[in-house]
């Protein structure tokens, strides 16, 4: 996934079937983003991966399941050459309303969910979720006649199971409303950073966008994103630089300046920190047709 998708809402394409099944093989990385109307589940099939979900940093092994609520900021990717995982994204409201005409019944299946971020095979409710995910993945792989309809039916059952296990209709109190307002302010900051990453960015400037004190902003940002604000800015800039190294023949000095880093030596240190190779090595590998590292 390209880094120009960083911290932008990624909606499901308006299509007949309001879901996506996205098998991923190493190397695969997706950058921080959120879906306001889309629930996402990740199933790790082999190898290892790392995800940051709602500020938590999680290492994944085969069989692990990760549940990502609507609007939750997340990022991650594979850690080894053998890693494979599948992402399941679906719009609960659209799927439920396509099956259920009665509005009261549909509302009961689209209540806010207090899901655990991580389910392992040892967890009590693991098989209830994993069995359905495996069936969905199998239908997607086989692509036999009518597989899209079968998948949507399985997702409807999955939504029902998740609602029975994790429905939290009382979550919309004052505390929840305040948390939601903070998250919306952070999304404004993240969009601002993506637009202005070439400029000088400071914690004070970001805190002004969020309408928070600098100290409070730092705590809220790290809790939601799982990185400090400046770590996030550095990573965004290095991801942008990686694309320019791959897609252009610009000098490293020009690329560093283009992504908002004036010191090319500092740029090199940051690049090695986040990409585990030098900018020059990445460009060399590009010409050789090899992956970095």
């Amino acid at each position: 996934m390209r880094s120009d998708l960083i911290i932008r809402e990624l909606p499901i394409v308006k299509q007949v079937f309001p879901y996506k099944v996205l098998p991923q093989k190493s190397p695969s990385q997706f950058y921080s983003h959120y879906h306001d109307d889309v629930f996402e589940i990740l199933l790790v099939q082999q190898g290892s991966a790392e995800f940051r979900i709602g500020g938590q940093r999680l290492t994944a092994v085969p069989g692990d399941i990760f549940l990502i609520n609507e609007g939750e900021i997340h990022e991650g990717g594979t850690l080894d050459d053998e890693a494979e995982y599948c992402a399941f994204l679906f719009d609960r409201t659209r799927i439920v309303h396509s099956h259920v005409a009665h509005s009261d019944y549909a509302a009961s299946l689209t209540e806010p969910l207090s899901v655990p971020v991580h389910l392992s095979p040892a967890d009590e409710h693991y098989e209830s979720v994993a069995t359905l995910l495996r069936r969905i993945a199998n239908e997607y792989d086989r692509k036999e006649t009518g597989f899209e309809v079968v998948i949507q039916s399985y997702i409807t059952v999955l939504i029902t199971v998740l609602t029975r296990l994790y429905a939290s209709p009382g979550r919309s109190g004052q505390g929840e409303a305040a948390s939601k307002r903070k998250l919306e302010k952070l999304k404004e900051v993240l969009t601002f950073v993506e637009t202005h990453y070439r400029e000088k960015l400071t914690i004070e400037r970001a805190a002004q966008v969020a309408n928070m004190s600098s100290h409070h902003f730092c705590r809220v940002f790290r809790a939601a994103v799982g990185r400090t604000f400046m770590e996030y800015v550095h990573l965004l800039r290095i991801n942008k630089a990686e694309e320019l190294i791959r897609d252009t023949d610009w000098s490293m000095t020009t690329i560093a300046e283009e992504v908002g880093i004036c010191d090319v030596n500092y740029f090199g240190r940051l690049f090695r920190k986040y990409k585990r190779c030098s900018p020059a090595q990445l460009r060399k590998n590009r010409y050789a047709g090899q992956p970095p590292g």
Side-chain angles (χ1 to χ4, degrees):
M1 184 177 292
R2 291 176 60 86
S3 62
D4 57 3
L5 297 180
I6 291 174
I7 294 299
R8 185 173 299 156
E9 179 185 359
L10 300 182
I12 287 182
V13 176
K14 299 302 182 185
Q15 53 192 5
V16 175
F17 299 100
Y19 64 80
K20 285 185 177 179
V21 180
L22 302 173
Q24 302 292 317
K25 293 186 178 182
S26 190
S28 172
Q29 184 176 17
F30 62 90
Y31 303 114
S32 291
H33 65 285
Y34 60 92
H35 323 267
D36 272 342
D37 301 314
V38 174
F39 195 93
E40 181 170 355
I41 302 179
L42 305 173
L43 171 63
V44 180
Q45 294 155 320
Q46 65 180 52
S48 60
E50 181 179 277
F51 304 110
R52 292 175 187 257
I53 302 170
Q56 296 185 53
R57 182 176 178 178
L58 304 154
T59 300
V61 297
D64 280 349
I65 293 172
F66 298 91
L67 306 172
I68 305 168
N69 253 318
E70 292 92 344
E72 197 154 40
I73 297 168
H74 54 288
E75 65 175 84
T78 55
L79 291 178
D80 61 56
D81 293 340
E82 306 302 319
E84 294 184 15
Y85 67 92
C86 191
F88 307 83
L89 301 91
F90 48 90
D91 184 325
R92 289 195 294 148
T93 299
R94 289 179 61 200
I95 286 179
V96 167
H97 281 278
S98 71
H99 283 269
V100 181
H102 196 286
S103 60
D104 290 342
Y105 190 75
S108 70
L109 291 176
T110 54
E111 294 279 9
L113 299 178
S114 289
V115 295
V117 173
H118 175 223
L119 287 176
S120 74
D123 289 321
E124 177 185 3
H125 302 303
Y126 176 85
E127 279 302 325
S128 299
V129 177
T131 298
L132 289 165
L133 295 179
R134 288 192 289 262
R135 289 176 179 174
I136 293 167
N138 184 58
E139 283 289 334
Y140 184 82
D141 289 341
R142 294 166 66 89
K143 290 185 173 63
E144 296 180 348
T145 302
F147 77 94
E148 300 97 335
V149 177
V150 175
I151 288 176
Q152 182 152 324
S153 296
Y154 280 139
I155 292 176
T156 304
V157 177
L158 178 60
I159 291 170
T160 305
V161 169
L162 293 173
T163 301
R164 290 176 177 177
L165 294 174
Y166 305 119
S168 181
R171 235 175 31 143
S172 56
Q174 291 184 351
E176 180 65 22
S179 296
K180 187 173 181 180
R181 286 195 297 272
K182 287 180 181 177
L183 185 58
E184 290 304 315
K185 286 294 184 182
L186 283 187
K187 289 175 181 177
E188 291 179 21
V189 171
L190 297 171
T191 301
F192 174 82
V193 172
E194 186 180 355
T195 305
H196 296 85
Y197 68 90
R198 296 179 181 87
E199 304 169 15
K200 182 178 180 180
L201 294 175
T202 64
I203 292 171
E204 291 74 20
R205 189 175 180 188
Q208 287 179 345
V209 174
N211 195 26
M212 300 178 188
S213 70
S214 297
H215 178 70
H216 185 54
F217 168 75
C218 288
R219 288 194 296 106
V220 171
F221 189 94
R222 183 158 195 165
V225 180
R227 301 181 187 275
T228 68
F229 174 72
M230 291 313 302
E231 284 174 345
Y232 173 75
V233 171
H234 292 328
L235 180 59
L236 185 151
R237 286 171 168 165
I238 294 304
N239 287 334
K240 297 287 188 181
E242 180 181 16
E243 289 187 4
L244 292 173
I245 292 170
R246 293 183 186 279
D247 298 341
T248 75
D249 291 317
W250 294 357
S251 71
M252 296 306 169
T253 300
T254 300
I255 289 174
E257 292 175 350
E258 175 66 18
V259 300
I261 303 173
C262 297
D263 185 335
V264 70
N265 293 321
Y266 182 56
F267 167 71
R269 292 196 297 273
L270 280 178
F271 198 95
R272 282 188 291 272
K273 175 182 177 180
Y274 290 107
K275 299 301 177 181
R276 300 178 185 176
C277 70
S278 69
Q281 185 63 45
L282 177 65
R283 176 158 285 171
K284 180 180 177 182
N285 290 339
R286 183 194 77 173
Y287 289 128
Q290 300 172 356

